[in-house]
Amino acid sequence: MLSLSEKKGGSSMNVKILNEKSIPNLPWQDRPADCQDVIWRYKANPIIKRNILPTSNSVFNSAVVPFEGGFAGVFRVDDKERNMQLHAGFSKDGMNWDIQPERIQFETDIPEMAEFQYGYDPRVCFIEDRYYITWCNAYGWHPTIGVGYTFDFKTFHQLENAYLPFNRNGVLFPRRIGGNYMMFSRPSDSGHTPFGDIYISQSPDMTYWGKHRHVMGPSKGWESTKIGAGPTPIETDRGWLIFYHGVLTSCNGFVYSFSAALLDKDEPWKVLKRGRSYLISPQELYECVGDVPNVTFPCANLVDADTGRIAIYYGCADTCTGLCFTTVDTVMDWLDHNSQV
Ligand code: BMA
């Protein structure tokens, strides 16, 4: 079923989107007539191939935002030595990307943060006056959440790591709540962690993080091993709409899918709705075959305030980057009828 906003080109949305901008050039493709899915893939996926740079082994799990009438982003680029690094990139249409050949060199006046060891799975979130970047950052070669910011995607500043190792999937909220910045994270271990819950922590200054609250843990089937936050939360009049990944352990290893949930507006650790099933799981060849098979891993969403259209960027098989689409009304309607909370 087409939602109202799909049928009418977004002229009458049921759900009100708060604090998002118009993105008239949001990358978009209508849902194919024969498709019933809540989220549908871009036909020309993957939009970023593994060898977009002469030095790249793979480009995936990356984050994009609207920037100066077009788009900018921070990309996970694993090079051919298999170093995991972050690169800036720019695009006019959100589909064709110009990725900088050199990795981001963060500037910092904190000596302990100065040595870059590895960085992966970046998220980018505009808050107040700048673009914050969070990523999985090595500290003593152990993963935790790095925090930095940029105004122009040319010069990048690094702050303190948010937490002690081991932690991954740090995702900021786009505004303060109750006076504090808010961040999801997923405490983990040193390896390919066989467990994992989503937590929220708060900070008055982007340096000191506390008031840790549990949001949700693994559940049945597709998300039975571990879960982790994905793109920046989307604020609506009904609460925070989020996409998150869930992992199942099969006889052949992990399978990464993703779904949606709705969190309380003022106390986002309270889960109002949680999808009963995945919305995207690895099914296309580029999601099933690559350096790590069977991974769909969302790290960014663009939302057009006028139409409620959402474009989600997701890593495919730890190799390349895909794009898929839905609308706020479509996901919310599905959650209304398919929640397991
Ligand atoms: C996680 C992270 C992600 C990756 C996923 C599947 O632990 O390393 O970057 O996409 O595993 O390999």
Side-chain angles (χ1 to χ4, degrees):
M1 280 276 290
L2 288 181
S3 76
L4 214 54
S5 62
E6 280 179 77
K7 276 188 223 160
K8 298 193 174 174
S11 55
S12 58
M13 283 185 283
N14 297 325
V15 180
K16 214 167 146 205
I17 302 168
L18 308 177
N19 299 317
E20 294 282 350
K21 296 200 180 78
S22 305
I23 311 178
N25 56 343
L26 180 104
W28 182 255
Q29 192 166 61
D30 285 333
R31 178 157 56 178
D34 59 349
C35 174
Q36 303 287 315
D37 297 339
V38 175
I39 300 180
W40 57 98
R41 294 169 175 83
Y42 179 49
K43 278 214 176 92
N45 267 352
I47 56 163
I48 302 174
K49 305 225 165 37
R50 65 184 306 164
N51 56 356
I52 187 169
L53 293 175
T55 52
S56 59
N57 168 77
S58 42
V59 183
F60 58 108
N61 300 4
S62 298
V64 313
V65 286
F67 179 70
E68 292 184 346
F71 303 92
V74 175
F75 295 81
R76 171 173 177 173
V77 178
D78 291 6
D79 69 17
K80 287 178 177 165
E81 292 175 37
R82 302 305 298 266
N83 299 305
M84 300 181 285
Q85 301 183 327
L86 306 177
H87 289 227
F90 300 91
S91 172
K92 287 201 170 69
D93 60 6
M95 295 196 181
N96 296 289
W97 285 89
D98 180 13
I99 296 182
Q100 301 296 294
E102 301 299 329
R103 76 168 171 89
I104 293 172
Q105 307 261 3
F106 286 95
E107 296 183 354
T108 183
D109 53 13
I110 308 165
E112 289 83 355
M113 293 298 112
E115 188 199 348
F116 181 89
Q117 296 172 338
Y118 61 73
Y120 61 82
D121 297 0
R123 273 60 165 201
V124 181
C125 183
F126 184 79
I127 312 176
E128 292 159 4
D129 63 347
R130 65 194 70 186
Y131 301 90
Y132 283 95
I133 299 106
T134 48
W135 70 97
C136 182
N137 187 41
Y139 180 65
W141 296 97
H142 296 315
T144 183
I145 307 301
V147 184
Y149 66 87
T150 184
F151 294 99
D152 56 10
F153 289 88
K154 288 182 184 137
T155 306
F156 290 83
H157 306 271
Q158 188 168 350
L159 304 171
E160 294 281 352
N161 290 326
Y163 314 107
L164 295 168
F166 304 89
N167 209 318
R168 296 183 172 96
N169 296 302
V171 178
L172 287 164
F173 281 64
R175 68 169 175 85
R176 293 177 189 246
I177 300 175
N180 286 330
Y181 298 108
M182 312 284 277
M183 198 199 293
F184 289 125
S185 75
R186 212 281 304 283
S188 45
D189 69 12
S190 57
H192 300 291
T193 313
F195 61 87
D197 294 28
I198 299 177
Y199 290 81
I200 283 181
S201 307
Q202 308 186 30
S203 172
D205 56 6
M206 278 284 173
T207 294
Y208 296 98
W209 293 89
K211 295 191 177 179
H212 313 291
R213 299 283 183 272
H214 183 257
V215 182
M216 53 188 187
S219 181
K220 292 179 200 152
W222 72 274
E223 52 174 343
S224 50
T225 298
K226 55 180 171 175
I227 60 171
T232 300
I234 299 169
E235 189 172 7
T236 76
D237 57 348
R238 293 177 52 184
W240 295 96
L241 177 62
I242 62 160
F243 298 101
Y244 70 99
H245 70 258
V247 181
L248 166 156
T249 306
S250 80
C251 61
N252 199 32
F254 288 157
V255 178
Y256 282 71
S257 308
F258 63 93
S259 190
L262 185 69
L263 309 179
D264 183 83
K265 200 159 148 18
D266 303 313
E267 297 176 310
W269 49 91
K270 294 186 176 159
V271 181
L272 306 179
K273 292 180 190 289
R274 178 175 181 176
R276 196 184 290 280
S277 66
Y278 66 72
L279 291 174
I280 290 277
S281 81
Q283 297 185 8
E284 296 294 330
L285 200 60
Y286 55 88
E287 299 164 343
C288 300
V289 177
D291 284 352
V292 182
N294 304 319
V295 182
T296 53
F297 196 96
C299 287
N301 42 214
L302 300 172
V303 189
D304 176 27
D306 296 338
T307 58
R309 288 174 171 179
I310 303 175
I312 301 170
Y313 291 77
Y314 67 107
C316 304
D318 283 17
T319 301
C320 55
T321 304
L323 188 56
C324 57
F325 309 104
T326 186
T327 74
V328 172
D329 279 355
T330 308
V331 182
M332 213 69 102
D333 183 57
W334 179 78
L335 279 174
D336 281 344
H337 298 99
N338 297 279
S339 176
Q340 65 176 359
V341 177

